[in-house]
Amino acid sequence: MAVSHGVIHRVERRTLNVVCAADTTSQQRSVGKSGPSSPAKTQIDVNPPRGTRDFMPEDMRLRSWLFGHFRQVSLQFGFEEFDSPVLESEELYVRKAGEEITTQLYNFEDKGGRKVALRPELTPSLARLVMGAGKGLPLPAKWFAIGQCWRYERMTRGRRREHYQWNMDIVGVAGVEAEAEVLAAITTFFSNVGLTSKDVGIKVNNRKVLQAVLEKYGTPEELFAPVCVVVDKLEKLPREKIEEELAELGVAKDAMDGLLESLSLTSLDKLQDILGEENAAFAELKRLFDLAEAYGYADWLVFDASVVRGLAYYTGTVFEAFDREGVLRAICGGGRYDKLLSAYGGEDKPMVGFGFGDAVIVELLKERNLMPDLGMKVDDVVIGLGDMQVQATSIAAKLRSQGRCVDLVLENKKMKWLFKHADRLSASRVVIVGEKEWESGNVRVKNLESREEGDVAIVDLE
């Protein structure tokens, strides 16, 4: 799915200045007995490539926390995890509906002359795997993935050229029960990280609404997907530009006016008045909202006929989570894509899913002061005094075998350093292995929370 991209927390570091070993005088020396002076070595740029990120330990803790929530929700809903290569065949992504994504590929020919690309999204890889499994795949299949994606595009807040994306997809369920289930997973995730329906809404629509309007005005069926791609730009481009692009596709003026008028609908009752109660788009949307009531997340949903999503493969329900304060771009998005497999020469299966990037959600958590405290934390810091390193090593091994998180000091250090180090690691205890205590079968233990300190028998240490 196409979703928000970007960064969790970019580590900004300036390029270091070139440092020359020789002073100015020595640099100016002429050739002497030993020959010319060696040229100074220029240090590499220590920043990552533009649009990408490093993950320092503190950033990795945040990423692991976020991915842990993604994974927890997926498993809670009975989904199985899959993965695929970051490098895929270019043909998976080159479609002919004018999608922006096709102009943003990191694509090239490999040394064997094959056209390949770094994946910009996960859904085509899923489609490839489903096609490969064929009739041997038990249905319904509920799969999830957390993978890195790449797009060469203009960078803004919450959008970089690489990002990680969480996908949940259901294969083999034709009814909107599948959409209701993945929407339940999304709202569960939001609740788990402290967000409420006052913070986040989910705009919901059905592409069949747009299809019904186009059919009403006799617009050719083959224009449907390209029109959806243009309509998805409504919030980015002025209406005049949208009308110009629709005209270039061959959409008649009356169809254009009717289409743009229908996109302003925000009420299911008004949609019913226009399309009728028996219309498939209205019936599916009503069923979805009824299921949302049963799940208990109806207050998160908002009907918005302008939401169509920018990828041509969507065929029915589409949705997009948004920041209700309007500060940030889309948080995640997805929908139904029942015709994707046939675009790759396969046999179509009903498919529904979403993509959820790692960037905008963190920006939102920052905005709401919901960022977790993820400092480094260990149970014990173990140090050997003097020549007691071997004995300290055995103590660290004993504690680790009991499941405790242990930092073993690997060099001789002073007590002042030790306690500063333990404080930085938020250690619960310091275990000091001294010669005198060891001869008595003990180690010295200081509880940094209670501030209690005393000797503990090695056999009792846990």
Side-chain angles (χ1 to χ4, degrees):
M1 309 295 162
V3 294
S4 40
H5 338 172
V7 298
I8 288 179
H9 172 67
R10 183 165 179 210
V11 181
E12 295 288 351
R13 290 178 288 171
R14 296 181 180 178
T15 305
L16 301 179
N17 293 327
V18 176
V19 179
C20 299
D23 60 20
T24 305
T25 303
S26 64
Q27 290 176 19
Q28 294 174 345
R29 287 179 187 156
S30 59
V31 177
K33 293 181 181 180
S34 59
S37 59
S38 300
K41 291 184 178 180
T42 302
Q43 181 166 310
I44 64 167
D45 184 348
V46 298
N47 289 301
R50 182 170 171 79
T52 66
R53 299 166 288 177
D54 293 316
F55 289 90
M56 297 290 277
E58 59 270 25
D59 304 312
M60 279 301 300
R61 286 195 289 273
L62 178 58
R63 194 177 92 177
S64 296
W65 172 86
L66 181 65
F67 290 7
H69 276 287
F70 289 161
R71 188 166 280 110
Q72 176 190 350
V73 170
S74 301
L75 296 175
Q76 184 180 353
F77 276 69
F79 281 62
E80 297 179 278
E81 188 167 9
F82 78 96
D83 199 6
S84 59
V86 173
L87 186 68
E88 286 276 19
S89 171
E90 183 189 71
E91 66 179 343
L92 270 179
Y93 311 107
V94 181
R95 292 182 287 267
K96 299 179 180 179
E99 295 164 300
E100 187 179 38
I101 196 172
T102 62
T103 66
Q104 298 171 345
L105 289 177
Y106 276 90
N107 54 335
F108 55 94
E109 282 194 8
D110 67 13
K111 293 182 179 180
R114 292 172 288 267
K115 292 184 176 181
V116 294
L118 297 179
R119 65 186 178 200
E121 54 164 330
L122 298 175
T123 306
S125 296
L126 170 74
R128 180 176 61 75
L129 290 173
V130 169
M131 287 174 61
K135 297 186 182 300
L137 179 67
L139 298 179
K142 301 199 296 183
W143 288 5
F144 80 96
I146 304 168
Q148 191 178 38
C149 300
W150 295 78
R151 294 188 187 185
Y152 194 90
E153 59 183 338
R154 185 175 64 87
M155 295 180 295
T156 59
R157 184 183 181 187
R159 183 192 289 266
R160 295 285 169 178
R161 289 174 179 167
E162 59 82 20
H163 70 287
Y164 283 87
Q165 184 169 303
W166 169 41
N167 273 38
M168 290 180 69
D169 296 87
I170 298 176
V171 181
V173 177
V176 294
E177 288 77 9
E179 285 94 320
E181 179 79 344
V182 295
L183 285 167
I186 292 172
T187 56
T188 298
F189 167 83
F190 285 139
S191 297
N192 288 353
V193 298
L195 295 165
T196 71
S197 59
K198 293 181 180 179
D199 300 304
V200 176
I202 303 177
K203 297 176 183 178
V204 179
N205 189 25
N206 193 306
R207 278 197 171 184
K208 293 174 184 176
V209 172
L210 196 62
Q211 195 169 15
V213 173
L214 292 175
E215 288 175 354
K216 178 180 178 181
Y217 291 97
T219 305
E221 184 179 349
E222 60 268 19
L223 290 183
F224 176 63
V227 166
C228 287
V229 173
V230 173
V231 168
D232 187 56
K233 303 174 186 176
L234 268 174
E235 293 185 357
K236 305 173 187 175
L237 301 176
R239 176 170 173 141
E240 295 75 20
K241 181 61 177 174
I242 296 295
E243 291 180 351
E244 180 183 321
E245 292 194 16
L246 289 174
E248 288 175 358
L249 290 175
V251 178
K253 185 66 170 66
D254 59 343
M256 197 183 303
D257 292 339
L259 172 65
L260 294 174
E261 181 182 353
S262 70
L263 295 174
S264 65
L265 292 175
T266 55
S267 162
L268 279 180
D269 290 336
K270 289 184 179 178
L271 180 66
Q272 181 181 2
D273 292 341
I274 293 174
L275 300 182
E277 188 174 357
E278 301 303 316
N279 177 269
F282 173 76
E284 289 178 14
L285 284 166
K286 186 176 186 309
R287 173 70 172 168
L288 179 57
F289 275 80
D290 288 345
L291 288 166
E293 286 283 356
Y295 273 103
Y297 64 78
D299 55 327
W300 296 78
L301 302 190
V302 177
F303 169 64
D304 186 336
S306 69
V307 175
V308 296
R309 303 292 294 159
L311 294 174
Y313 55 62
Y314 288 114
T315 57
T317 305
V318 285
F319 52 85
E320 200 169 87
F322 66 98
D323 166 25
R324 287 196 186 268
E325 292 187 1
V327 175
L328 301 168
R329 60 191 299 276
I331 303 165
C332 69
R336 177 168 289 277
Y337 51 101
D338 290 348
K339 304 291 185 182
L340 181 58
L341 298 188
S342 61
Y344 296 134
E347 182 181 342
D348 281 326
K349 291 180 173 65
M351 302 174 78
V352 169
F354 67 81
F356 196 128
D358 69 344
V360 178
I361 181 61
V362 172
E363 295 295 330
L364 181 59
L365 293 174
K366 289 177 182 176
E367 289 277 342
R368 301 296 191 275
N369 295 315
L370 291 172
M371 290 290 285
D373 180 8
L374 297 172
M376 179 64 177
K377 179 78 173 74
V378 302
D379 295 317
D380 303 313
V381 174
V382 176
I383 187 170
L385 302 182
D387 295 327
M388 301 298 290
Q389 189 65 38
V390 171
Q391 293 84 344
T393 300
S394 69
I395 292 298
K398 170 183 170 67
L399 291 170
R400 287 168 179 163
S401 70
Q402 296 169 354
R404 295 183 69 81
C405 178
V406 179
D407 177 70
L408 173 63
V409 179
L410 302 175
E411 302 173 289
N412 286 325
K413 293 290 184 179
K414 294 180 179 180
M415 287 296 104
K416 183 178 180 181
W417 178 93
L418 171 66
F419 287 105
K420 281 187 177 180
H421 178 67
D423 182 62
R424 184 179 68 83
L425 299 182
S426 300
S428 300
R429 303 186 307 186
V430 168
V431 179
I432 302 170
V433 183
E435 185 177 357
K436 181 180 178 181
E437 290 83 4
W438 186 266
E439 289 175 352
S440 302
N442 300 321
V443 290
R444 193 76 171 171
V445 177
K446 181 165 185 176
N447 188 309
L448 299 179
E449 296 171 355
S450 67
R451 315 310 292 180
E452 295 178 351
E453 182 176 353
D455 290 348
V456 174
I458 296 170
V459 295
D460 297 330
L461 184 65
E462 58 183 26

